[in-house]
Every structure is written in structure tokens, then in C-alpha cells.
Amino acid sequence: MTRIEKKFAALKDAKKKGLVIYLMAGVPDKKGTIEAVKIAERAGADFVEIGLPFSDPLADGPVIQAAGIRALKGGMTLAGVLELVKEIRKFTEIPLIGMGYINNVLHYGAEKFVADAKAAGLDGAILPDVPHEESADLREICNKQDFRLIEFVTPGTTPDRLAQTCESANGFIYAVSVNGVTGEKKIDYSIIGKVARKVREQTETPIAVGFGIGSAEAAVDAAKDADAVIVGSAVVRRLMDGKTQEAEEFVASLRRALDASY
Amino acid sequence: MTTGRFGKYGGQFVPEIVMPVLTELQAAYEKYKDDEDFKAEVRGYLERYAGRPTMLYYAKRLTEHYGKAKIYLKREDLLHTGAHKITNALGQAVLAKRMGKKRVIAETGAGQHGVATATAAALFGMECHVFMGTTDIERQKLNVFRMKLLGAQVIPVSSGTGTLKDATSEAIRYWAAHIEDTHYIIGSAVGPHPYPTIVRDFQSCIGSEIRAQAKKETGGRIDYLLACVGGGSNSIGTFYEFRDDKAVKKIGIEAGGRGEAEGDNAKTLSGTGKPGVLHGAYSYVLQDSDGQIVEAYSLSAGLDYPGVGPEHSYFKDAGIVEYVSVTDAEALDAFRRLSEIEGIIPALESAHALAYLEKLMPKTKKDEVVVLCLSGRGDKDVQMVAKALGEEL
């Protein structure tokens, strides 16, 4: 059991929706990322995703792309992210999930990555360019070390693939709200809501809906059929612009809206 | 492990959102690839519109220049739009049409694949978006205008370094958001399965034509097959037919650029590339010590891609093809040499294969046969070459 399961269990007991906040390691800088984790937790985040910057992030829109480039220019590396996680672990037990791309992990060595990430204090990883079909080897490594490899469903996931994902998923299932990349946009969350209900019929693994959420209203919509919502670009954008206080207020507004609605 | 592997290379390392459309494409391709009506339609366009089969030309003066083995050039440069790219673009456009897609998109570096796709889209009355890095748009104004003339919309990509790899990422991102009505015509034998197979299958007519033509020209004898390698579509098309012929020595020539330093060349297979994942496939990739993709460099815009098709990675490891490199300067010499000796201005990409003749020919014997894929014509490169040679136009 990792901090992820414990947190979802506590949320369930409290009848609350979970809030996952994405931060890019090294944005605005290393110290700023540590500060941002504190801010996010203080404002009501239940989980923090730590972005592992990659030069060619296929699943990300302009904000996270720019954040990745900024992090890389600042000298951030995969080993650097793990050092950062160790620093973060000194002051919080919030569940931390690394989000990055497979090439960095392969280059580092998959087994070594999982071992070092676990030791540093990460509870799991989200690798958007590893779909279910390509994840068997990595999943085995993660399972052995009690480290969560988060799997995805989307509006287009076919029933047979959804069933496979539900069977192997642990930690939580990342429900991508839209056919596209990360970034704030207007989305009809009832579409992914339907998918989430299908997932719910097949597994008890919690569901977190992400992509596109840029306001408290959107977070409430997205949370309807889910256990948690994931918000990234809307927070990272503010941190990139140096608007730390605004970022904190924004996260707090998400928390308030979720708690008021559910 | 998924289907679509060449040894351990290939696969489908793409976001979940792209998986349904890859599955759809895979099913459609399986359905049509052996369908007589589909094949006849593609062949019809290739023969009556693009100009296939292309000639296998005996380069007599170039042969005399070296005084060794006979040199034959596979004249892909004579195809409509000036390079082998049109073969794949037409094939995939017919496939897109059969799949009921109304829009095609493409990535382009130098603009050749963008022009080929815009051409095919015009021919079939399809909407066309071409993703191109802002750095490349600046370098290749002529091709940008050509695409516009053909009715395509050129979409500038400023993310990353604003070059081919970023344009490819952006095309994949756009595709993911428009999967219902859009087909992505990828320009090389790269990307997630089934693309490396689709592009190789369409381009493998290069090799099968060579075999048929060599029967007449040389009694079937071929000792060496040469082709340049960027993403690797003309080369996979050339080599695939001969993959089991051990007597035919197959050599892929990469861009050695301006030196050995990181970011100064595109020697993915013949230099410092290591297996990794770029644009959905596990293959050799130029990357730094942290696994970040390194920008490739070559004077030739069609070769400066930091990845390579996964089947080439397999061919390298299995020893089926030897991969070597030549520098910018060597390619420039070869560019001039073929122009002066044969009256053929080659594409800078093809000039890399030609440059390797300098190293290969002294080792050959007079009764041997060298076949080189002249993948494109060089009109597009004359400005670049003039600049490199210090000439004012």
C-alpha cells in the first residue's frame, strides 16, 4: 500500500473529492518547486504530480511544453527531480506521483528508476507515452516494488482495452477528458463521465479526471463521476508568470468549489 | 509486447488518445494492403501521375570517372515533385480516402514531404495541413510557397527548436485532437506502428523495380546497394527487397554534418545514437546523458532527424545493412561531381549516398555492380549550396 491508496481511502471516509495538482520540477526554479508543493498542500491539494521535463512531450500542450523547456534550461535532470523529491519528503507525506516520458526512464534504466524513485519518496509514475500495450514489463517492475504505474482511459478507449486497463490498473486510473493535449479549454465533461461510469462497473480503483480544467466550475463538472480531478496547466501557467499567490488562491478556489458541491 | 516490432524495435509508444486511431489505421491497412482494387488504384496513380517505374540509369561517365565497378542510379529524382516522397504520399492519400477521411496532415522539415502531401491532397480534393517548424519555414521559403500554391495550409510550429522533430510532435498532437476526420500522412518510415510498415510497403517498389530492371541491365547482378538515411524511407524502400540477399551488400549513408560533437551531425545509427523512444517508436535516437533528445544537424534538411525508422535499427543490430556517414563537405563535393559529370543535379540528401562512392569505389572490381538510390533532385538545394560555396545569387 502506498500513500496514494491511503489518501483515497481517507477521502472516501470523508466523502470528499480528491484534488491532484501538477507541478513541473524546476519551475519556476528548484526552490520555487519546493515552495509550490507547500502552497498546493496548504491550499487544499490531496496529491501532487511532479513533472519530469522532457524535450519532446507528446501529450502536453503549450504551457507544460514551455515549462519543460524552462526546467531543462535551468539544468533539471531526472536525477535532479529525484533529489528534489527527497527535499519535498522532508516536510510532507502528501502522495507524490512523477509524470514524465518513457525515454528518460529507459535511459536511466527502468528498474533503477523505480527503485530510486521509490526510495526518494515518489509513490508512482504517470508515463503518457506508455499505453497499456507497451506497459507489461514496466508494470511488473513497478508491482514488485509496490510502486504505482498509472494507466489511462480516454473517450475513445474501446471496451476491450478498457477492460484490460481496469484489470491491471492500480493506484488510480487517469481518465483523459478530451482527445487532445494538456491545457485549459472548454470541455464537455459528461463524455468522460460516461467512460468513468464504465470503469466504475469493472474496478474499485479510483478514477481521476484530467486535461483541460481551468476553473472551479470545470473542476466541479469534471469531478462528477470521478474520485478526483487533476489540474496542471492552469497552475503551472501562473507559476511561470511568477504569480505564486494567484496560484495559491486558484488551488484554494478549486478546493472550496469541490467541497461545496460534493 | 505489441505487434509492429522489428526485433525489439518499433512498437506504439503514444498517448492513450492516439491508440484508437492507430488501431483503426491498422485495421484499414490490413484490409486494403492485399486488396486488388486498392492496389490497382495506387498503382494507377503511381504510373500515370507520379511517373513510376523510375529508370535504372547506367551512369557511364561516373563509372569511367572511378574506373571500377559499374554504377547505376535509381532515378527517383524523376518522379513528380522531385523525390521518392510522392510514392508514399499518394499511397497514404488513397488509403485516407478509402477510410473516409476528409483531411490529411503532414510534418515537414525541408518541405519535400509537405509538398508531396499537398500535391496528393490537391489531386484528391482533400483539405491539407502541413506542420513545419518556424526555423525551417525561414530556411525553406520556396517550398512554403509551393505548398500554399497547392492549396495547403502551412502551420508554423514554434515549440522546442522549431524544426522537424517539433513539427512531427505537433502533427501527432493535432491528429490526436482530430482523429475522426483526419489522416496523418507521416513522411518517413518512422513513428508508431503501423506507420513504419505502411511507409516501407509503399516505398518498397523502389527495390522491387531495381530487381526487375537489373535483370535486363546487368543480368540481375548487384553487388552493392547504396541509399541515404534520414528517417529512412528511400533506404528502407531500396533495401527491403534485398534483405535476405547476402550477396548484395547494403550500405546506408547518414549525415556526418560538420563534426563529431553532440548536435553537429545526424549519425543516429553510425554514430552516438542509443536505443530509446522518439515519436512513438523504440529505435536508435540521438540523446544526451539525461535521455533528452538532441537536435540533429546536417546541411541537408531531409537528413537532420535525431531518430531513425525502427526497421533500420533492427537491420543494424542484425548486420543486414551497414550504416556509415559522410560529412557536409563530402556531400557538397558529390553534389557538384554528379552535376558536372552526368548532368544530374542531385538532392543534397542523395548527394550523401553519392559521396560514399569515393570510399567504396576503390575497393570494387570492374565486373561488379553498384546501384545507388538517387532519391531526389537538387533544384530545391541550389540556394543552400550556393551559400555553402560562397556564391552570390
Side-chain angles (χ1 to χ4, degrees), chain B residues 262-299:
Chain B
E262 190 174 283
D264 275 353
N265 60 68
K267 292 161 63 171
T268 312
L269 292 166
S270 60
T272 53
K274 288 188 185 69
V277 172
L278 175 66
H279 297 140
Y282 183 64
S283 193
Y284 279 80
V285 182
L286 292 176
Q287 48 190 318
D288 70 12
S289 59
D290 191 40
Q292 307 298 345
I293 307 305
V294 170
E295 192 66 22
Y297 164 81
S298 168
L299 183 65

Side-chain angles (χ1 to χ4, degrees), chain A residues 53-61 65 69 72 76-79 101-104 106-108 128-134 136-137 152-158 161 165 176 178-181 211, chain B residues 1-3 5 10-17 19-20 23 159-161 165-166 168-170 172-173 176-180 274-280 282 285 287-294:
Chain A
F54 179 49
S55 52
D56 298 77
L58 265 190
D60 285 307
Q65 283 178 40
I69 288 168
L72 290 174
M76 190 49 75
T77 60
L78 186 46
Y101 289 82
I102 186 65
N103 194 57
N104 298 117
L106 292 177
H107 199 273
Y108 191 88
D129 56 350
V130 184
H132 184 80
E133 283 79 353
E134 300 289 356
D137 294 350
F152 291 85
V153 294
T154 74
T157 304
T158 52
R161 299 189 67 250
T165 298
V176 178
V178 66
N179 288 330
V181 292
F211 281 40
Chain B
M1 199 180 271
T2 49
T3 47
R5 292 277 179 158
Q12 297 179 306
F13 292 91
V14 291
E16 176 65 26
I17 41 168
M19 287 305 295
T23 311
S159 60
T161 42
K165 77 177 176 74
D166 309 295
T168 306
S169 296
E170 205 53 36
I172 295 172
R173 292 183 189 114
H178 298 84
I179 52 180
E180 265 94 44
K274 288 188 185 69
V277 172
L278 175 66
H279 297 140
Y282 183 64
V285 182
Q287 48 190 318
D288 70 12
S289 59
D290 191 40
Q292 307 298 345
I293 307 305
V294 170

Side-chain angles (χ1 to χ4, degrees), chain B residues 64-107:
Chain B
E64 285 165 4
H65 171 78
Y66 288 109
K68 292 279 191 171
K70 282 187 169 176
I71 301 168
Y72 286 83
L73 302 176
K74 179 62 174 163
R75 296 291 307 274
E76 294 292 300
D77 62 314
L78 294 177
L79 285 168
H80 180 43
T81 71
H84 71 289
K85 296 280 185 194
I86 190 73
T87 304
N88 169 54
L90 284 170
Q92 285 202 50
V94 174
L95 184 63
K97 197 161 63 95
R98 297 251 174 161
M99 289 172 75
K101 307 285 181 181
K102 66 178 178 66
R103 182 190 301 128
V104 291
I105 60 168
E107 84 294 343

Side-chain angles (χ1 to χ4, degrees), chain B residues 142-265:
Chain B
L142 200 64
N143 271 342
V144 173
F145 185 61
R146 283 171 84 193
M147 287 184 268
K148 284 181 183 162
L149 276 177
L150 292 161
Q153 197 181 334
V154 178
I155 298 172
V157 178
S158 56
S159 60
T161 42
T163 58
L164 178 60
K165 77 177 176 74
D166 309 295
T168 306
S169 296
E170 205 53 36
I172 295 172
R173 292 183 189 114
Y174 178 92
W175 192 36
H178 298 84
I179 52 180
E180 265 94 44
D181 59 358
T182 302
H183 175 67
Y184 175 24
I185 300 187
I186 209 162
S188 194
V190 300
H193 176 67
Y195 277 112
T197 302
I198 292 179
V199 176
R200 178 252 282 157
D201 286 354
F202 282 131
Q203 292 295 1
S204 62
C205 57
I206 301 174
S208 45
E209 286 173 15
I210 289 174
R211 192 188 285 285
Q213 290 162 330
K215 250 182 210 148
K216 281 187 206 154
E217 294 283 336
T218 72
R221 176 161 189 174
I222 299 172
D223 298 279
Y224 297 94
L225 261 183
L226 269 57
C228 62
V229 182
S233 67
N234 91 84
S235 47
I236 207 76
T238 303
F239 298 150
Y240 186 69
E241 167 77 18
F242 298 91
R243 65 196 180 282
D244 296 325
D245 293 355
K246 293 209 168 67
V248 181
K249 195 162 163 34
K250 296 162 284 285
I251 304 168
I253 297 100
E254 294 190 312
R258 59 194 164 206
E260 297 299 321
E262 190 174 283
D264 275 353
N265 60 68

Side-chain angles (χ1 to χ4, degrees), chain A residues 25-237:
Chain A
V27 169
D29 51 34
K30 204 175 153 182
K31 236 177 90 189
T33 311
I34 292 172
E35 194 54 34
V37 173
K38 288 180 182 165
I39 286 168
E41 191 170 21
R42 195 162 67 210
D46 301 301
F47 307 81
V48 171
E49 269 182 39
I50 299 286
L52 285 39
F54 179 49
S55 52
D56 298 77
L58 265 190
D60 285 307
V63 171
I64 309 278
Q65 283 178 40
I69 288 168
R70 177 141 155 203
L72 290 174
K73 280 193 177 146
M76 190 49 75
T77 60
L78 186 46
V81 177
L82 298 182
E83 285 306 311
L84 190 60
V85 169
K86 279 184 200 162
E87 292 290 314
I88 295 167
R89 270 290 166 246
K90 287 179 183 164
F91 63 83
T92 178
E93 279 300 302
I94 196 166
L96 293 172
I97 306 117
M99 172 148 179
Y101 289 82
I102 186 65
N103 194 57
N104 298 117
V105 171
L106 292 177
H107 199 273
Y108 191 88
E111 269 183 72
K112 183 171 153 49
F113 167 75
V114 174
D116 291 357
K118 178 93 187 169
L122 282 181
D123 299 290
I126 302 171
L127 301 170
D129 56 350
V130 184
H132 184 80
E133 283 79 353
E134 300 289 356
S135 66
D137 294 350
L138 194 58
R139 221 161 42 222
E140 204 184 310
I141 295 170
C142 291
N143 286 345
K144 262 189 211 155
Q145 308 214 32
D146 204 25
F147 187 79
R148 302 294 172 247
L149 181 64
I150 305 305
E151 297 201 61
F152 291 85
V153 294
T154 74
T157 304
T158 52
D160 55 323
R161 299 189 67 250
L162 187 116
Q164 288 169 20
T165 298
C166 287
E167 188 162 337
S168 60
N170 56 25
F172 63 89
I173 289 175
Y174 197 132
V176 178
S177 64
V178 66
N179 288 330
V181 292
T182 57
E184 299 161 72
K185 57 179 98 59
K186 251 196 144 57
I187 287 167
D188 177 0
Y189 286 99
S190 69
I191 297 167
I192 195 65
K194 256 171 80 178
V195 179
R197 289 199 295 278
K198 277 187 212 146
V199 171
R200 187 83 75 203
E201 287 166 14
Q202 299 183 40
T203 177
E204 289 183 0
T205 307
I207 303 156
V209 168
F211 281 40
I213 301 168
S215 69
E217 297 76 41
V220 170
D221 277 356
K224 189 165 176 283
D225 294 291
D227 302 290
V229 294
I230 304 170
V231 184
S233 296
V235 178
V236 172
R237 172 170 62 83

